[in-house]
Amino acid sequence: MQFNVVKTLSAAAVFLAFAGSAQAADATCEVNRPVKFGGMNWESNLVLVDVERFILEKGYGCETETLPTETLPALAALERGDLDVNTEIWLNSVAEPWEKAEKTGKVKRVGELYLGGESWFIPRYTAERLPELKSAADLPKFKDEFKDPEEPSKGRFYGCPAGWGCEVTSTNLFHALGLDDTYTLYSPGTGAAQKAALTSAYKRKQNVVFYYWYPTPLVGSMDLVKLDLPAYDAETHKCLTSPDCKDPKPSAYPENPVFTGVNTKFAREAPKLTEFFSKVAVPLPEMDATLAHMEESGDDAADVAQWFLKNKADVWTKWVPAEVAERVQAAL
């Protein structure tokens, strides 16, 4: 997710203020201000944030706000206290920045959501057309099969959306594999733009090579093949996650721990809410089912969050005390 300069998230920033205006009558929030969530623009985060906000508003009597942001600016904002909660941090995409932030004592890792994954993919129909294309290192031989419409002498590789933490890793890996002479590294402006471009190419059976992460509706709905990468090496990969990596070397992606981070001051002010965030965990099959419902229904994140709360009570009721669960279920 190329590294953007961290933006100052001030009070003047434009908030998506889906503020929870009505507090549960029989619950009193631990903080007397809105709880501030970082709002990323990928599906699992959008849904999980809306699930957590509904639980805080209806179960704990809190008001909430979401601040639209991106991975690295969100981490800086969490450290400053401009955000209270970052629901979904993909550790391998921000390993070095997270380590630095954690050492300040201003942020805390409090809950393990699931183990995600990342890879470089081609569609299966492309793999069948190009049976000798097995690994990312083979890509230079096939540049004409992935022609960049804006620079036809090169192929196009779809990297991570601009500003996301994974852009640093995919960019460093692109350079480490020596692809600069044969491919352009195309970083879509948003996750939605990336998904739209890949979906369009797939529907038209065009050859396309790209970075993506999972669980996601896109990976679940397409028949894809992973390109082989050199064996995972922890130190090599750590450099790949750094914007300042001077001499990147190729390494496969490891399994990616996805966790919740909170501002340490907020954790002291709101121990019950922090305990809730520490228990938020979604088994991968349940996350896959939720994102598949989102893809099939076309519903927005708020509607899918409602679907999750109504249909996955066996998952989320484990996160909260019984009386909180009762208040949430009464509000559905």
Side-chain angles (χ1 to χ4, degrees):
M1 310 177 185
Q2 200 162 30
F3 179 62
N4 281 10
V5 176
V6 174
K7 304 168 187 173
T8 300
L9 302 176
S10 66
V14 178
F15 280 82
L16 279 183
F18 306 118
S21 55
Q23 296 190 2
D26 52 351
T28 302
C29 191
E30 290 177 299
V31 293
N32 59 2
R33 57 169 179 78
V35 178
K36 296 170 286 187
F37 286 80
M40 312 301 170
N41 57 354
W42 62 85
E43 293 97 335
S44 57
N45 185 266
L46 292 168
V47 172
L48 287 170
V49 167
D50 278 348
V51 167
E52 291 178 342
R53 291 184 59 198
F54 191 90
I55 291 172
L56 257 64
E57 291 172 9
K58 307 304 182 184
Y60 289 93
C62 297
E63 294 184 354
T64 70
E65 292 176 336
T66 301
L67 176 61
T69 184
E70 296 165 347
T71 305
L72 295 168
L75 180 53
L78 190 70
E79 191 175 342
R80 290 194 304 270
D82 293 344
L83 294 179
D84 298 309
V85 185
N86 191 336
T87 296
E88 195 180 3
I89 297 175
W90 289 64
L91 180 62
N92 292 342
S93 297
V94 291
E96 186 176 275
W98 174 259
E99 184 180 0
K100 288 180 179 177
E102 202 169 26
K103 284 179 178 176
T104 68
K106 296 178 180 178
V107 300
K108 290 182 66 175
R109 176 175 176 168
V110 296
E112 306 298 317
L113 282 169
Y114 49 76
L115 273 179
E118 300 168 274
S119 192
W120 286 18
F121 293 100
I122 55 174
R124 187 167 300 281
Y125 60 75
T126 296
E128 292 170 352
R129 290 171 186 166
L130 308 172
E132 295 180 3
L133 175 54
K134 302 292 187 184
S135 73
D138 297 329
L139 283 171
K141 294 183 288 186
F142 298 96
K143 68 180 181 67
D144 293 336
E145 304 293 340
F146 302 96
K147 192 169 292 185
D148 186 331
E150 297 176 10
E151 197 170 346
S153 65
K154 292 185 175 183
R156 172 178 285 188
F157 175 78
Y158 285 85
C160 182
W164 291 17
C166 63
E167 189 187 15
V168 175
T169 307
S170 63
T171 298
N172 281 334
L173 185 55
F174 181 89
H175 297 321
L177 289 163
L179 298 179
D180 300 80
D181 293 336
T182 50
Y183 283 78
T184 59
L185 176 57
Y186 183 77
S187 295
T190 65
Q194 182 193 36
K195 182 179 178 182
L198 297 175
T199 300
S200 174
Y202 188 85
K203 286 180 178 177
R204 292 184 288 171
K205 293 292 189 288
Q206 294 177 334
N207 292 331
V208 62
V209 57
F210 58 96
Y211 160 88
Y212 222 77
W213 69 100
Y214 52 90
T216 49
L218 182 138
V219 171
S221 66
M222 294 182 179
D223 190 4
L224 302 174
V225 174
K226 294 179 181 179
L227 291 178
D228 292 335
L229 290 164
Y232 169 70
D233 179 83
E235 285 303 311
T236 298
H237 187 266
K238 184 176 181 180
C239 188
L240 290 175
T241 68
S242 170
D244 302 317
C245 186
K246 302 298 183 186
D247 185 23
K249 303 294 184 186
S251 167
Y253 293 91
E255 287 189 319
N256 203 335
V258 184
F259 64 91
T260 297
V262 298
N263 175 269
T264 303
K265 183 181 177 183
F266 169 80
R268 290 195 300 266
E269 293 174 347
K272 292 180 182 178
L273 298 182
T274 301
E275 183 180 7
F276 158 64
F277 289 120
S278 74
K279 292 181 178 178
V280 176
V282 185
L284 272 180
E286 303 293 357
M287 198 73 238
D288 287 338
T290 301
L291 296 177
H293 171 76
M294 188 178 202
E295 187 78 0
E296 292 162 8
S297 66
D299 288 345
D300 63 18
D303 288 336
V304 176
Q306 291 283 307
W307 179 89
F308 178 89
L309 289 164
K310 291 173 182 175
N311 291 277
K312 303 295 179 182
D314 57 325
V315 175
W316 68 263
T317 52
K318 297 175 183 176
W319 307 340
V320 297
E323 65 272 16
V324 173
E326 290 171 6
R327 289 193 288 265
V328 173
Q329 288 173 320
L332 289 171

